[in-house]
Amino acid sequence: MADILPRLWFPLSAAAATTGIILLIRDYVHGERCPSKATMEGKTVIITGANSGIGKETAKELSKRGGRVIMACRNMDKCKEALDELVQETGNKNVHCQHVDLASFESVRKFANRINKSESKVDVLINNAGVMRCPHWKTADGNEWQFQVNYLSHFLLTNLILDKLKAAEQGRIINTSSIAHGHGKIKFDDINSKDKYDDVEAYSQSKLALVLFSLELSNRLEGTGVTANTVYPGVTKTNIGQHKLSKVDSVVTKPFMWFTLREPARAAQTGIYLSVAPEVADKTGKYWKDTVAIRPAPQGNNEEVAKKLWDLSLKMTGLPEDMTSNDQSKEEKTS
Ligand SMILES: NC(=O)c1ccc[n+]([C@@H]2O[C@H](COP(=O)([O-])OP(=O)(O)OC[C@H]3O[C@@H](n4cnc5c(N)ncnc54)[C@H](OP(=O)(O)O)[C@@H]3O)[C@@H](O)[C@H]2O)c1
């Protein structure tokens, strides 16, 4: 035994050092944790797609911090299940499920009307729900699925409840995009991919639209105190790949997933930071990754395209042309 120990010392130390380095790299790959301990007591937050993945983890943390959390989901059974888990884990009973199906403008309008009636203010709106690379489906309104679910319905919802965000001490709008926005192009001549559908192109377009939305919205909200930012959560272990990941993919990629893909709780950190931190109260129109504002891809910084997209989005959602905010008469006109 005494002979073996000195011989094992080197391989064991090397193995321990390698493991340490791997864990450090993994931690780096998985991004920053929210550095702010700020509370959400007295604050109301709406999170779309809060029953799963990044949205659910965001809802959990904001509940833990004492917020009034409205989980805006399309499937009430899944929402209730997630709500029960949240209440049990956080002890916060001020968490609520509300129905919204982003594939239907009518559903978005009904949801917005309920919020406008029940809430005196909304402190944080997190436009998180999304779908990735689905087949060429059409929504109830005749639009390409990803463009409406990921972007257009969030555009509509945000505008319809904007007065509630303005009524907050300092309202915050957070749009969830993706690195895929960098491959995106807004196809003004074929926005719904009628001529040619490519699921990657359509996802990228929808995620670029969200970056441009934050840019234009932040300009329009200047002087109101309400901020609009975009987050990129990182590549994360969630259900978002459900339309594309084959069984073979899952088996082959699984061993690498532990190392490279983020846990949803980690991916949620930047959105949580933008929701709670006092130091970002005046940061607007920015693109965030790992709790730091970075430059989006060049096409995400194009103010001309952002304006053109805004005008098109007004037409497609049926909002009034001069809509920069939502007053009661405009809302009644559009509902
Ligand atoms: N995971 C990643 O690697 C990654 C990377 C970059 C960006 N993102 C973005 O992060 C956001 C959250 O996605 P995730 O990764 O957490 O995926 P997820 O687990 O699939 O969560 C997506 C959420 O969106 C909801 N949703 C889908 N269609 C909806 C509709 N028509 N109406 C209302 N809600 C709908 C889903 O509800 P159901 O459960 O009912 O389907 C679910 O709650 C998405 O915007 C995604 O594009 C994710």
Side-chain angles (χ1 to χ4, degrees), residues 20 25 35 48 75 83 95-96 114 126 139 149 176 182 187 194 212 221 244-245 249 261 285 313 323 329:
I25 296 173
T48 64
N75 182 321
L83 180 142
V95 185
H96 310 271
R114 286 199 304 276
I126 306 181
T139 64
V149 169
T176 310
K187 297 185 298 176
K194 280 185 185 149
L212 294 167
L221 288 172
K244 279 294 155 185
L245 268 191
D249 270 347
L261 265 60
S313 307
M323 186 118 185
S329 60

Side-chain angles (χ1 to χ4, degrees), residues 271-310:
I272 293 164
Y273 180 58
L274 288 175
S275 303
V276 303
E279 64 267 27
V280 298
D282 60 346
K283 302 283 186 287
T284 190
K286 299 195 180 305
Y287 177 86
W288 298 75
K289 175 179 181 269
D290 296 336
T291 72
V292 176
I294 59 169
R295 285 176 77 80
Q299 63 269 51
N301 234 341
N302 189 326
E303 305 229 352
E304 203 180 311
V305 175
K307 279 197 180 71
K308 200 170 160 190
L309 176 65
W310 182 279

Side-chain angles (χ1 to χ4, degrees), residues 49-55 74-75 78 100-103 128-130 149 176-178 203 207 232-236 238-240 242:
N51 61 282
S52 112
I54 299 162
R74 65 172 167 171
N75 182 321
K78 285 193 199 171
V100 67
D101 182 353
L102 297 165
N128 161 79
V149 169
T176 310
S177 183
S178 161
Y203 181 70
K207 290 293 161 181
Y232 166 52
V235 186
T236 312
T238 66
N239 296 330
I240 199 80
Q242 62 180 303

Side-chain angles (χ1 to χ4, degrees), residues 147-333:
F147 191 64
Q148 180 163 336
V149 169
N150 296 355
Y151 164 65
L152 263 187
S153 283
H154 283 131
F155 172 89
L156 177 62
L157 170 62
T158 306
N159 276 298
L160 288 176
I161 64 167
L162 207 48
D163 276 354
K164 296 297 170 184
L165 284 137
K166 289 180 182 169
E169 200 183 323
Q170 194 268 301
R172 301 178 182 200
I173 298 156
I174 300 161
N175 292 314
T176 310
S177 183
S178 161
I179 197 167
H181 83 274
H183 309 292
K185 180 175 183 291
I186 306 296
K187 297 185 298 176
F188 286 105
D189 53 346
D190 187 23
I191 202 80
N192 280 315
S193 309
K194 280 185 185 149
D195 293 345
K196 175 184 155 265
Y197 181 68
D198 177 313
D199 55 22
V200 177
E201 258 180 29
Y203 181 70
S204 305
Q205 172 176 258
S206 72
K207 290 293 161 181
L208 172 60
L210 284 159
V211 180
L212 294 167
F213 178 35
S214 295
L215 185 67
E216 179 63 15
L217 186 58
S218 66
N219 288 337
R220 288 172 184 257
L221 288 172
E222 220 179 293
T224 65
V226 181
T227 57
N229 286 289
T230 306
V231 293
Y232 166 52
V235 186
T236 312
K237 286 178 224 169
T238 66
N239 296 330
I240 199 80
Q242 62 180 303
H243 296 292
K244 279 294 155 185
L245 268 191
S246 66
K247 282 214 171 83
V248 179
D249 270 347
S250 310
V251 172
V252 176
T253 53
K254 228 170 189 165
F256 301 101
M257 278 167 68
W258 176 84
F259 192 78
T260 52
L261 265 60
R262 291 183 173 182
E263 294 298 335
R266 210 52 193 274
Q269 295 298 311
T270 305
I272 293 164
Y273 180 58
L274 288 175
S275 303
V276 303
E279 64 267 27
V280 298
D282 60 346
K283 302 283 186 287
T284 190
K286 299 195 180 305
Y287 177 86
W288 298 75
K289 175 179 181 269
D290 296 336
T291 72
V292 176
I294 59 169
R295 285 176 77 80
Q299 63 269 51
N301 234 341
N302 189 326
E303 305 229 352
E304 203 180 311
V305 175
K307 279 197 180 71
K308 200 170 160 190
L309 176 65
W310 182 279
D311 291 342
L312 177 68
S313 307
L314 287 179
K315 283 199 187 93
M316 291 181 83
T317 53
L319 286 171
E321 293 243 328
D322 60 345
M323 186 118 185
T324 52
S325 67
N326 164 36
D327 64 31
Q328 206 55 40
S329 60
K330 280 173 188 163
E331 186 198 327
E332 273 158 16
K333 220 161 46 177

